[in-house]
């Protein structure tokens, strides 16, 4: 315990010196200001050192009170010569002085507070100096960067803010570095932000700690050992109860471990020290063993990452032409040199990739320019192209095809061509079948609309359009007989004058009603500049069946009716934000559903069961809710150009044809990406269609083919649709790189109609 008290006393003296020498740097800015203003009121002064530096390295703290002054002197010689009790008392006195001076320096108070503090019990009287630290900042052990944005850095013991001191900029830092002689010994207190100048003792202490020495240079680390506990064994035990049985009975775990070691020694898995020593001696007597680095040529090369590895073929040995002094017959003459130069840049197998040259001595041979390149390629060949024995796959091509049902089990579907409708003089672009399935309408580039009887193939009516017919569609209602035709920039609503007379008269009455001017005045200017309704009440057009002409500002490509027969949509690809126009038949009004362009619109359809509008642009398909007026789904076609779309009668699946020869099947409930991508055609697909009753769909292409496929959609959502190609028809002829344009199914029978560039319409049944 002597050594401990002497060490603590030394640290107390060292701390008191730090307090005396560095009084001003350790004080806060606010305290410095108060001290400078009240120098006369300070009650703590630093005394002079009375002892010489040779006799003692300790300083004295002088504390002056208002009533009395005391001087406490403690020299090393007197402390060393005194006994243990005197040393402990000296330590207590020093601790009292240190604590009193520390309080006086850190927190200057009035005389009353100092008198009260002098009468208090010193907490360091027992010699415990573990918490004797100069802590003014009471924020605790927290990151100080939390106070970067504040003007203070913490709080003192009285709860007041500790204001940050002005640190200056880089120029002040440089000037301070050049002018201040104590700059090298100045450190910064992170808790208060003050600069502290280290004393000589502090620097010596830091150096000793950095050199891994004891901080106190006067501490004797080789002092005689004090035996705190006796090493003599007591004859009588301290416990009054006998030892337990397990203390002298052999351990069962140790017995199992020993038996395991014995068994390992018997089996040769473990060797004793004597055996290991004999083995090392035999190896030393045997001498070093040499082996080939790359093994021998007769041993196969092994590679862990490749099974049944075949070693790479060895490089051929150099021949006479690669010698530095080859025979004359191996050197090139002028003709061989020209031939070699000619074949130099060829990719074929050359006999030699270098020109043999002759040198007088081996030292005259220059370095080979392609050495590193050839070695690198050789390493790539060995690493990237390893040879291995592989079993040949015995898979038949038929096994790679999916197991599809027999087409005979999927009947009925069209198998033969039954009727050919001839009468148009140019390409037939679009066809449509009425709701009853008795009549067929077609438009052609000869600017006419023809009405055909399906069963007989007879042309019943011909209507001049005044422009190239792009699209024709029948009204889905059975009460009226109405055909909508898109020709150039017009949409013609025509009464075909076929079928029931009552339905014809209802159609004339419906289309003959002219809405009042008040309805037309409500229409916005944006709609009026895009669409204009024109009623035909008499004349030649009225005689042929034209009842209403809807003029558009751009060319109309497609027309599609809603299942309710009151609305229909027209598509203008060049219309930008007015590319899709929805028309209402009863009120003779039009609407523009989009205010921003969505791309180059290719087609538009109404959902068969929900109030939704499906718009197909060049690469995407968007589905809009007409009630909430928002987009509910966006389909990604992963193709360059969409040509046509068709929706399943149930409304859960969609068929998309593209100009890049893809036929896409979308499951709207499954994903926004295609469920199946069918590569059935070799050229651009022009039209796709679903049958309304049978699980059939068809597609037409410029490769002169019409493909009918089976597409069964199950009511069970967990079962995927079954898609099976059934029949391929190639009866249309090609004309100006066009072949088959449109395809339509019969509403009741498993029949399909196609229109082609050869001015014919064909029925397959």
């Amino acid at each position: 315990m002597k050594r401990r008290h002497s060490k603590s006393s030394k640290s107390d003296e060292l701390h008191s010196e730090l307090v005396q020498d560095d009084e001003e740097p350790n004080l806060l800015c606010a305290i410095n200001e108060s001290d400078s203003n009240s120098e006369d009121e300070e009650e703590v002064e630093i005394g002079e050192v009375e002892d010489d530096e040779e006799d003692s390295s300790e300083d004295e703290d002088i504390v002056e009170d208002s009533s009395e002054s005391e001087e406490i002197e403690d020299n090393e010689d007197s402390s060393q010569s005194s006994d243990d009790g005197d040393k402990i008392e000296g330590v207590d006195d020093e601790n009292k002085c240190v604590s009193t001076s520390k309080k006086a320096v850190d927190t200057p108070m009035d005389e009353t507070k100092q008198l009260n503090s002098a009468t208090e019990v010193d907490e360091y009287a027992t010699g415990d100096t573990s918490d004797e630290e100069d802590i003014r900042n009471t924020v605790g052990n927290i990151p100080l960067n939390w106070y970067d944005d504040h003007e203070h850095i913490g709080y003192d013991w009285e709860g007041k803010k500790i204001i940050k001191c002005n640190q200056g900029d880089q120029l002040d830092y440089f000037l301070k570095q050049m002018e201040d002689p104590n700059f090298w010994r100045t450190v910064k207190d992170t808790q208060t932000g003050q600069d502290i100048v280290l004393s000589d003792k502090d620097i010596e202490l830091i150096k000793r700690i950095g050199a891994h020495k004891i901080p106190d240079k006067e501490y004797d680390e080789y002092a005689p050992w004090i035996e705190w506990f006796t090493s003599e064994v007591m004859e009588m035990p301290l416990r009054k109860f006998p030892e337990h049985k397990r203390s002298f009975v052999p351990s069962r775990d140790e017995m199992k471990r020993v038996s395991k070691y014995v068994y390992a020694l018997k089996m040769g898995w473990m060797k004793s020290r004597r055996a290991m020593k004999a083995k090392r001696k035999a190896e030393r007597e045997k001498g070093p063993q040499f082996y080939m680095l790359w093994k021998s040529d007769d041993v196969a090369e092994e590679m862990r990452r490749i099974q049944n590895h075949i070693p790479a073929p060895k490089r051929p040995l150099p021949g006479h032409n690669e010698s530095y002094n080859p025979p004359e017959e191996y050197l090139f003459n002028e003709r061989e040199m020209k031939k070699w130069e000619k074949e130099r840049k060829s990719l074929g197998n050359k006999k030699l990739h270098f020109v043999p040259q002759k040198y007088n001595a081996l030292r005259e041979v220059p370095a080979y320019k392609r050495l590193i390149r050839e070695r690198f390629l050789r390493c790539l060949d060995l690493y990237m192209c390893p040879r291995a024995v592989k079993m040949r796959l015995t898979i038949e091509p038929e096994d790679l095809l999916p197991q599809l049902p027999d087409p005979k089990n999927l009947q009925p579907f069209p198998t033969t061509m039954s009727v050919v409708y001839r009468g148009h003089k140019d390409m037939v672009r679009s066809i449509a079948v009425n709701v009853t399935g008795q009549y067929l309408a077609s438009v052609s580039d000869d600017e006419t609309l023809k009405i055909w009887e399906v069963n007989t193939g007879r042309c019943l009516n011909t209507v001049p359009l005044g422009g190239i017919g792009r699209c024709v569609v029948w009204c889905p209602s059975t009460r009226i007989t109405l055909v909508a035709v898109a020709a150039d920039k017009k949409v013609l609503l025509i009464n075909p004058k076929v079928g029931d007379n009552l339905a014809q008269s209802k159609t004339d009455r419906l289309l003959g009603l002219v809405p009042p001017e008040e309805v037309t005045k409500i229409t916005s200017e944006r709609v009026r500049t895009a669409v204009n309704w024109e009623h035909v009440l008499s004349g030649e057009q009225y005689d042929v069946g034209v009842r209403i002409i809807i003029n558009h500002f751009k060319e109309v490509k497609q027309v599609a009716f809603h299942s309710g027969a009151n609305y229909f949509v027209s598509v203008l690809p060049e219309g930008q934000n007015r590319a899709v126009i929805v028309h209402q038949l009863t009120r003779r009004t039009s609407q523009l559903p989009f205010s921003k362009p969505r791309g180059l619109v290719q087609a538009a359809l109404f959902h068969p069961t929900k109030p939704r509008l499906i718009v197909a642009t060049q690469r995407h398909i968007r589905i809009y809710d007409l009630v909430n007026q928002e987009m509910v789904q966006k389909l990604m076609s992963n193709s360059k150009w969409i040509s046509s779309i068709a929706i399943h009668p149930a409304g859960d699946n969609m068929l998309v044809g593209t100009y890049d020869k893809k036929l896409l099947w979308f499951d709207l409930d499954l994903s926004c990406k295609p469920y199946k991508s069918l590569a059935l055609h070799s050229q651009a697909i022009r039209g796709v269609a679903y049958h309304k009753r049978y699980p059939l769909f068809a597609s037409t292409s410029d490769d002169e083919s019409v493909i009918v496929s089976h597409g069964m959609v199950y009511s069970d959502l967990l079962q995927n649709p079954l898609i099976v190609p059934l029949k391929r028809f190639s009866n249309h002829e090609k004309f100006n790189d066009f072949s088959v344009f449109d395809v339509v199914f019969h509403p009741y029978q498993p029949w399909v109609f196609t229109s082609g560039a050869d001015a014919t319409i064909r029925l397959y049944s």
Side-chain angles (χ1 to χ4, degrees):
M1 297 303 290
K2 292 179 183 180
R3 191 176 295 106
R4 178 182 176 186
H5 284 297
S6 63
K7 183 177 179 181
S8 62
S9 63
K10 297 298 182 180
S11 62
D12 294 342
E13 294 171 2
L14 179 60
H15 185 73
S16 63
E17 287 183 348
L18 291 176
V19 173
Q20 289 180 354
D21 295 340
D22 303 334
E23 177 183 2
E24 293 180 0
N26 286 331
L27 293 180
L28 303 178
C29 295
I31 298 177
N32 284 330
E33 292 176 2
S34 63
D35 292 344
S36 62
N37 295 333
S38 58
E39 294 180 354
D40 298 337
E41 297 178 1
E42 280 188 320
E43 298 179 0
V44 181
E45 295 181 358
I46 302 175
E48 298 180 355
V49 181
E50 296 181 358
D51 297 340
D52 297 338
E53 295 180 356
E54 299 177 357
D55 298 338
S56 174
S57 61
E58 299 179 353
D59 296 337
E60 298 178 355
D61 297 339
I62 303 176
V63 181
E64 295 183 3
D65 296 340
S66 61
S67 60
E68 60 180 356
S69 60
E70 296 179 1
E71 293 184 358
I72 302 175
E73 298 180 357
D74 193 4
N75 299 328
E76 282 186 354
D77 299 337
S78 61
S79 62
Q80 291 177 358
S81 60
S82 61
D83 54 357
D84 298 343
D86 295 335
K87 286 182 180 179
I88 295 174
E89 292 178 358
V91 170
D92 297 341
D93 295 339
E94 288 176 0
N95 290 335
K96 291 180 182 179
C97 295
V98 170
S99 61
T100 307
S101 62
K102 177 177 180 296
K103 292 179 181 179
V105 173
D106 290 350
T107 58
M109 297 182 296
D110 53 1
E111 297 179 358
T112 306
K113 292 184 178 179
Q114 289 188 356
L115 290 174
N116 295 334
S117 62
T119 58
E120 292 178 357
V121 179
D122 190 2
E123 61 177 331
Y124 305 117
T126 59
D128 185 9
T129 60
S130 59
D131 59 342
E132 188 180 357
E133 298 183 19
D134 187 10
I135 300 178
R136 297 185 185 88
N137 199 344
T138 61
V139 294
N141 187 15
I142 63 171
L144 294 180
N145 55 7
W146 291 359
Y147 291 93
D148 290 346
D149 298 334
H150 300 276
E151 61 181 1
H152 62 286
I153 199 171
Y155 302 90
D156 57 6
W157 290 98
E158 297 180 358
K160 296 180 181 180
K161 294 182 179 180
I162 301 176
I163 307 301
K164 294 181 181 177
C165 291
N166 187 12
Q167 300 297 332
D169 53 3
Q170 295 293 334
L171 183 59
D172 297 337
Y173 181 81
F174 177 74
L175 293 176
K176 190 175 180 181
Q177 183 179 4
M178 295 292 104
E179 297 175 358
D180 189 4
N182 293 328
F183 178 80
W184 64 277
R185 63 169 65 195
T186 304
V187 296
K188 191 172 187 178
D189 189 359
T190 57
Q191 289 287 337
T192 61
Q194 299 295 321
D195 292 336
I196 302 174
V197 180
L198 301 178
S199 62
D200 294 338
K201 287 189 176 182
D202 296 337
I203 294 174
E204 184 180 358
L205 180 66
I206 293 173
K207 288 182 179 180
R208 291 186 64 84
I209 294 174
H212 304 286
K213 297 181 179 179
I214 297 176
D216 188 4
K217 64 179 181 180
E218 298 180 359
Y219 175 75
D220 187 10
E221 55 181 326
Y222 301 107
W225 171 254
I226 298 175
E227 190 173 9
W228 301 102
F229 301 98
T230 179
S231 59
E232 298 179 0
V233 180
M234 299 180 66
E235 296 181 359
M236 295 298 295
L238 295 179
R239 298 182 297 179
K240 61 181 180 180
F241 53 88
E243 295 289 343
H244 197 272
K245 182 180 179 181
R246 62 173 172 265
S247 61
F248 54 87
V249 173
S251 174
R252 184 173 298 177
D253 294 337
E254 292 180 359
M255 182 179 62
K256 290 182 179 179
R257 193 176 304 171
V258 170
S259 62
K260 186 184 296 184
Y261 292 159
V262 171
Y263 183 73
L265 289 172
K266 289 182 179 179
M267 298 299 294
W269 301 338
M270 183 185 298
K271 295 183 179 179
S272 62
R273 294 181 181 178
R274 185 180 301 175
M276 293 296 296
K277 188 176 181 180
K279 182 179 179 181
R280 296 193 195 98
K281 184 178 180 181
E283 290 178 354
R284 287 195 300 269
E285 293 176 354
K286 193 175 182 181
Q289 299 295 320
F290 300 99
Y291 59 93
M292 293 186 65
L293 182 62
W294 305 111
K295 296 187 177 181
S296 58
D297 295 339
D298 55 348
V299 179
E301 185 180 359
E302 296 180 2
M303 293 188 70
R304 295 182 179 179
R305 64 188 183 95
I306 300 175
Q307 296 180 356
N308 300 327
H309 176 254
I310 300 176
K314 301 295 181 181
R315 295 297 298 269
L317 297 175
H320 294 289
N321 48 10
E322 295 180 353
S323 174
Y324 75 94
N325 188 14
E328 296 293 335
E329 59 268 17
Y330 289 97
L331 299 177
F332 285 175
N333 52 25
E334 294 183 0
R335 190 182 68 177
E336 292 175 345
M337 192 67 186
K338 290 180 180 179
K339 183 179 179 182
W340 186 87
E341 289 288 345
K342 186 177 180 180
E343 297 177 352
R344 183 177 182 180
K345 297 181 180 180
S346 64
L347 299 177
N349 295 327
K350 294 177 288 188
K351 188 175 182 180
L352 291 177
H353 61 279
F354 64 93
V355 179
Q357 296 181 3
K358 190 171 185 178
Y359 299 94
N360 295 327
L362 184 61
R363 62 178 179 273
E364 297 180 3
V365 179
Y368 184 40
K369 296 180 180 180
R370 299 185 59 187
L371 176 64
I372 299 178
R373 175 69 178 172
E374 289 185 358
R375 294 296 97 187
F376 174 70
L377 294 177
R378 175 65 174 174
C379 293
L380 283 184
D381 176 63
L382 295 176
Y383 176 71
M384 302 297 292
C385 302
R387 285 84 173 170
V389 178
K390 292 185 178 181
M391 296 296 294
R392 185 177 179 181
L393 298 178
T394 58
I395 299 176
E396 298 296 334
E398 293 78 8
D399 298 339
L400 300 177
L401 298 176
Q403 298 295 328
L404 298 177
D406 190 0
K408 295 180 180 180
N409 300 329
L410 302 177
Q411 291 180 351
F413 59 86
T415 55
T416 58
M417 186 182 66
S418 301
V419 182
V420 179
Y421 304 88
R422 302 181 185 274
H424 285 288
K425 299 178 181 179
D426 207 340
M427 296 185 294
V428 181
R429 292 189 175 270
S430 178
I431 55 176
V433 184
N434 71 334
V435 182
T436 60
Q438 296 178 356
Y439 304 103
L440 174 69
S442 63
V443 291
S444 173
D445 285 0
D446 59 3
E447 301 181 359
T448 59
L449 165 68
K450 290 184 178 296
I451 306 299
W452 309 83
E453 190 176 10
V454 173
N455 294 331
T456 60
R458 182 165 57 95
C459 181
L460 302 178
N461 192 5
T462 300
V463 180
L465 302 175
I468 297 176
R470 300 289 180 181
C471 180
V472 60
V473 60
W474 282 86
C475 180
S477 177
T478 57
R479 297 179 181 179
I480 59 176
T481 58
L482 178 63
V483 175
V485 180
D488 291 344
K489 297 183 180 181
K490 301 177 182 180
V491 174
L492 307 177
L493 300 181
I494 302 172
N495 184 355
K497 298 181 181 180
V498 293
D500 190 5
N501 294 330
L502 181 60
Q504 296 181 28
S505 61
K506 285 184 179 180
T507 303
D508 290 338
R509 286 198 303 270
L510 175 63
L511 301 180
L513 296 175
V514 179
E517 296 181 359
E518 298 177 356
V519 178
T520 58
K521 289 181 180 179
I522 299 175
T523 307
S524 63
E525 186 66 24
R526 181 167 174 261
V527 177
R528 274 183 285 178
T529 56
V531 183
N532 182 21
W533 288 69
E534 178 184 349
H535 291 76
V536 179
L537 302 178
S538 62
E540 295 181 359
Q541 290 184 337
Y542 185 83
D543 296 338
V544 296
V546 179
R547 297 294 181 261
I548 296 177
I549 300 175
I550 306 175
N551 298 308
H552 295 72
F553 74 108
K554 293 291 183 180
E555 183 177 340
V556 183
K557 179 183 177 182
Q558 184 198 6
V559 179
F561 267 99
H562 189 267
S563 58
N566 191 20
Y567 293 91
F568 62 96
V569 62
S570 59
V571 177
L572 293 71
E574 299 177 358
Q576 296 183 357
N577 59 342
R578 293 182 289 182
V580 179
I581 304 176
V582 179
H583 308 279
Q584 188 175 3
L585 186 60
T586 55
R587 300 184 61 184
R588 311 292 195 274
T589 57
S590 301
Q591 300 176 10
L592 298 175
F594 305 113
S595 59
K596 295 181 181 179
R598 299 295 180 182
L600 191 61
V601 179
Q602 299 296 316
L605 290 174
F606 286 102
H607 197 277
T609 59
K610 299 178 182 179
R612 293 181 179 179
L613 179 63
I614 304 170
V615 179
T617 57
Q618 189 172 349
R619 293 190 177 185
H620 303 93
I621 301 170
R622 295 176 174 87
I623 302 177
Y624 298 92
D625 192 341
L626 298 177
V627 177
N628 299 326
Q629 297 182 1
E630 62 180 3
M631 186 179 70
V632 295
Q633 196 172 5
K634 182 178 179 181
L635 306 179
M636 315 294 291
S637 65
N638 298 331
S639 61
K640 297 180 180 179
W641 203 301
I642 295 175
S643 61
S644 58
I645 59 175
I647 190 165
H648 194 269
D652 295 335
N653 295 270
M654 184 180 294
L655 205 61
V656 178
T658 63
Y659 287 118
D660 48 358
K661 303 177 291 185
K662 293 181 182 178
L663 181 61
L664 308 177
W665 180 293
F666 283 92
D667 191 341
L668 302 182
D669 297 333
L670 180 64
S671 173
C672 62
K673 295 182 180 180
Y675 163 68
K676 289 289 185 181
S677 181
L678 306 176
L680 302 178
H681 297 278
S682 59
Q683 293 187 21
I685 296 176
R686 293 287 176 177
V688 292
Y690 276 109
H691 199 288
K692 292 184 178 181
R693 293 196 173 188
Y694 293 96
L696 299 174
F697 68 92
S699 60
T700 60
S701 173
D702 287 339
D703 58 358
E704 306 179 13
S705 65
V706 179
I707 297 179
V708 179
S709 304
H710 177 86
M712 172 61 76
V713 178
Y714 300 95
S715 58
D716 186 6
L717 299 178
L718 298 178
Q719 191 170 1
N720 295 327
L722 177 62
I723 302 173
V724 181
L726 297 176
K727 189 67 176 180
R728 180 188 183 97
F729 301 102
S730 300
N731 300 105
H732 285 277
E733 298 177 0
K734 209 164 191 178
F735 179 76
N736 290 340
D737 294 334
F738 297 107
S739 180
V740 188
F741 280 104
D742 199 5
V743 58
V744 175
F745 278 99
H746 193 276
Y748 302 112
Q749 301 295 334
W751 300 345
V752 63
F753 300 88
T754 59
S755 63
D758 55 356
T760 61
I761 303 169
R762 300 176 186 269
L763 169 62
Y764 301 93
S765 61

